[in-house]
Amino acid sequence: MRTLLAFLALLVTATAGQRPNLLVFLVDDMGWQDTSLPFLHDAEGKPVVTDLNRRYRTPAMEALAARGMKFTRAYAHSVCTPSRITLMTGKNPARHRVTNWTSPTGAENGDNDVKHLRSPDGWGRTGIAAGEKTLPALLKAAGYRTIHCGKAHFGSRGAFGQDPKAIGFEVNIAGNEIGHPGSYFARDSFGKGSHHVPGLDRWHGQDLFLTEVLTRELCGAIETAAKDKQPFFAYMAHYAVHSPFQADPRFAKNYPDLPKPQQAYASLIESMDRSLGDILAKLDALGIAENTFVVFLSDNGGDAPIPNDKAAPVVSGNAPLRGKKGMRYEGGIRVPMIAAWAKPAASHPAQEKLKIPAGSHHDGFVSIADLFPTLLEIAGVSGVPSFDGHDLRPALKGGPATRPQQLVTHYPHGHNNDHFSILHEGHWKFIRNHADGMTELYNLASDLAETNNLASEQPERAAAMSVELERQLDAMGALRSKRVEP
Ligand code: CA
């Protein structure tokens, strides 16, 4: 009997050792074009190198994409907290009801530009609700070490989700209720007061940048998990490339011709990319790269400090996309995304089950919600209801899109764009603006920059998409903007 138990214990240990590690590398406010890796492809499927691709340097992203798959049509919410909670729950923001970013104090945020509309009563103003089944909690229960590193922004001060440990992270490095750092510099203690980055005291006063410090912290936590022979879920949620636009001195010199804020922004991007490269190198050095699945993405559209081009005022720092973070246009919600094994191997048990074609790209529609079921399945945790996320493994194996080519984005608040809901359906995009009822319809296949509103030209399509949008919002229990006396 004792021999049998010992044998079973050994078997469990061996199986645990084979379970793949998971690394989610989430960048804050990084745009679809904030990289040297082209995410725009032409009708023949060939990558199109844009001006912004030529501006930025992200060799680690290029290397990761060469090892796996690039997603050219990946979407997140238009602002931070909703996307982050969607990643953690697999629920559309309309369903989890944190439809706007949360203020650190829990106060109502957003502006009041629309005199007769306000945020709905009962929206998740203080962040993630207790009782949600979360990705880290499920993985922790399955034996994973769950490591949070960087920006959390799941809930406000004193609320349930303020500390990432509340939602299932065993280790929390530097995350709390804040949405951006007071400072990127260790010599400034990463900011004073309300936006001080917590938990990094041992680095204070040194000549180091926040992105580098977080990288070293995460590499240390990964090394500990590897030594303990425990599979891990590492969530590397950088504070970069969100404002304040402070230059990383290691990289600013590479952009001598750019105006100051743009030079700083480019250095934040290259610094973030160096972090990716360093973490991948660490996985390799530890001998666990073949057994580590990596997903890279951003939490909303880009917010680059690039003025609009006067000749084409609808195009911004996300060109050729229209708009920026917070907006209903593609520049607000389309994000870069890459998935790969950290080191492809011809024969490896985990990779045998999920062979990702090297240097490939997938042009089907995917959502940040899809990470929830996909990561759980890769970890061997099956049967968890995923609500609005869909398992991406068929696409990752090089197959055609199997998830519905539809997505609802719901924003009943005031911000860069006020009170809107969107339905994407294949290449068609329908927008309802709740303030004045104005509708927009774009064919993204022929009009990626959303310059030609076809709503009045194609009223039947617009009406059908409007009905489908309302149906899906109702099905998710979406809260609507509240009407008030102007
Ligand atoms: Ca963000």
Side-chain angles (χ1 to χ4, degrees):
M1 185 65 187
R2 190 170 292 173
T3 319
L4 180 67
L5 282 176
F7 172 73
L8 282 175
L10 205 75
L11 195 71
V12 169
T13 313
T15 313
Q18 285 163 7
R19 276 185 294 170
N21 305 304
L22 307 168
L23 168 66
V24 171
F25 192 99
L26 183 74
V27 189
D28 196 7
D29 287 8
M30 181 192 179
W32 192 61
Q33 291 291 307
D34 289 345
T35 165
S36 51
L37 179 69
F39 278 87
L40 176 66
H41 284 225
D42 64 18
E44 277 78 49
K46 295 215 174 62
V48 178
V49 178
T50 63
D51 287 347
L52 290 173
N53 293 151
R54 275 185 280 272
R55 167 184 291 211
Y56 298 120
R57 293 163 196 241
T58 57
M61 284 179 69
E62 291 178 40
L64 185 66
R67 290 172 208 174
M69 184 172 282
K70 187 168 70 170
F71 290 85
T72 61
R73 292 198 73 201
Y75 288 84
H77 195 69
S78 57
V79 292
C80 290
T81 313
S83 284
R84 286 159 192 264
I85 296 177
T86 293
L87 199 166
M88 293 298 152
T89 61
K91 291 180 178 176
N92 188 298
R95 191 187 302 277
H96 65 60
R97 295 189 169 174
V98 188
T99 37
N100 203 2
W101 85 91
T102 51
S103 152
T105 63
E108 187 62 62
N109 55 26
D111 51 43
N112 293 328
D113 285 352
V114 181
K115 297 290 179 226
H116 67 284
L117 290 181
R118 294 289 180 275
S119 299
D121 291 334
W123 80 272
R125 185 172 48 78
T126 59
I128 188 168
E132 293 280 12
K133 274 198 167 62
T134 66
L135 183 62
L138 290 159
L139 290 169
K140 189 175 165 187
Y144 273 70
R145 182 163 309 173
T146 50
I147 306 162
H148 178 282
C149 184
K151 167 172 159 172
H153 208 190
F154 301 121
S156 52
R157 204 169 301 141
F160 169 74
Q162 177 190 10
D163 186 339
K165 287 183 175 175
I167 67 163
F169 285 105
E170 194 178 338
V171 178
N172 170 29
I173 301 162
N176 66 0
E177 74 279 5
I178 62 173
H180 65 82
S183 167
Y184 278 98
F185 297 111
R187 63 167 185 266
D188 296 335
S189 308
F190 304 114
K192 307 266 190 313
S194 65
H195 282 77
H196 167 68
V197 179
L200 300 175
D201 297 22
R202 70 192 180 103
W203 303 94
H204 290 179
Q206 299 189 42
D207 194 16
L208 286 168
F209 205 71
L210 176 57
T211 308
E212 168 69 8
V213 166
L214 293 175
T215 306
R216 293 188 192 185
E217 286 275 350
L218 183 76
C219 285
I222 286 176
E223 184 162 352
T224 304
K227 279 189 179 146
D228 293 344
K229 302 208 179 312
Q230 189 178 5
F232 60 81
F233 166 48
Y235 176 65
M236 176 71 256
H238 272 297
Y239 280 94
V241 296
H242 196 297
S243 62
F245 300 128
Q246 293 173 322
D248 185 332
R250 295 176 296 167
F251 305 106
K253 58 183 180 297
N254 293 339
Y255 310 91
D257 301 329
L258 293 179
K260 277 281 179 267
Q262 294 183 39
Q263 181 187 42
Y265 189 71
S267 81
L268 281 169
I269 289 170
E270 189 168 351
S271 166
M272 169 281 296
D273 185 80
R274 174 63 59 87
S275 166
L276 176 67
D278 288 350
I279 294 168
L280 294 174
K282 181 71 179 181
L283 294 169
D284 198 13
L286 291 169
I288 54 175
E290 291 91 341
N291 198 38
T292 304
F293 177 78
V294 185
V295 180
F296 175 105
L297 80 168
S298 172
D299 71 336
N300 49 248
D303 196 24
I306 301 177
N308 286 344
D309 180 347
K310 285 199 180 66
V314 293
V315 175
S316 71
N318 292 297
L321 303 184
R322 180 176 181 177
K324 61 188 288 190
K325 173 186 179 182
M327 292 191 178
R328 62 194 186 273
Y329 300 114
E330 294 292 287
I333 51 180
R334 194 186 281 222
V335 294
M337 177 171 156
I338 307 163
W341 292 101
K343 186 179 189 179
S347 63
H348 181 276
Q351 297 193 27
E352 290 285 322
K353 285 192 203 163
L354 184 66
K355 280 196 202 315
I356 307 172
S360 59
H361 66 97
H362 179 81
D363 298 324
F365 204 94
V366 299
S367 153
I368 194 169
D370 299 340
L371 265 55
F372 181 87
T374 306
L375 293 171
L376 286 174
E377 290 291 344
I378 291 172
V381 182
S382 296
V384 180
S386 55
F387 295 97
D388 305 302
H390 298 272
D391 184 1
L392 293 177
R393 285 177 305 161
L396 282 165
K397 290 173 185 168
T402 52
R403 84 173 314 287
Q405 294 297 292
Q406 269 194 340
L407 181 70
V408 168
T409 306
H410 182 53
Y411 190 73
H413 308 278
H415 187 41
N416 281 350
N417 279 168
D418 299 316
H419 303 271
F420 60 83
S421 304
I422 304 167
L423 176 69
H424 277 89
E425 203 168 57
H427 287 294
W428 289 95
K429 179 175 176 182
F430 174 81
I431 306 169
R432 176 172 293 285
N433 296 280
H434 302 295
D436 55 6
M438 196 260 281
T439 57
E440 296 168 75
L441 178 70
Y442 300 105
N443 180 350
L444 298 177
S446 57
D447 180 25
L448 185 63
E450 299 167 276
T451 56
N452 188 16
N453 180 3
L454 299 169
S456 53
E457 238 171 78
Q458 298 202 30
E460 283 176 13
R461 185 185 297 277
M465 288 184 76
S466 176
V467 168
E468 178 62 13
L469 171 62
E470 293 302 315
R471 188 192 70 75
Q472 292 205 28
L473 285 172
D474 284 344
M476 290 189 282
L479 298 171
R480 313 303 177 114
S481 306
K482 182 170 71 171
R483 298 191 82 83
V484 294
E485 288 300 318

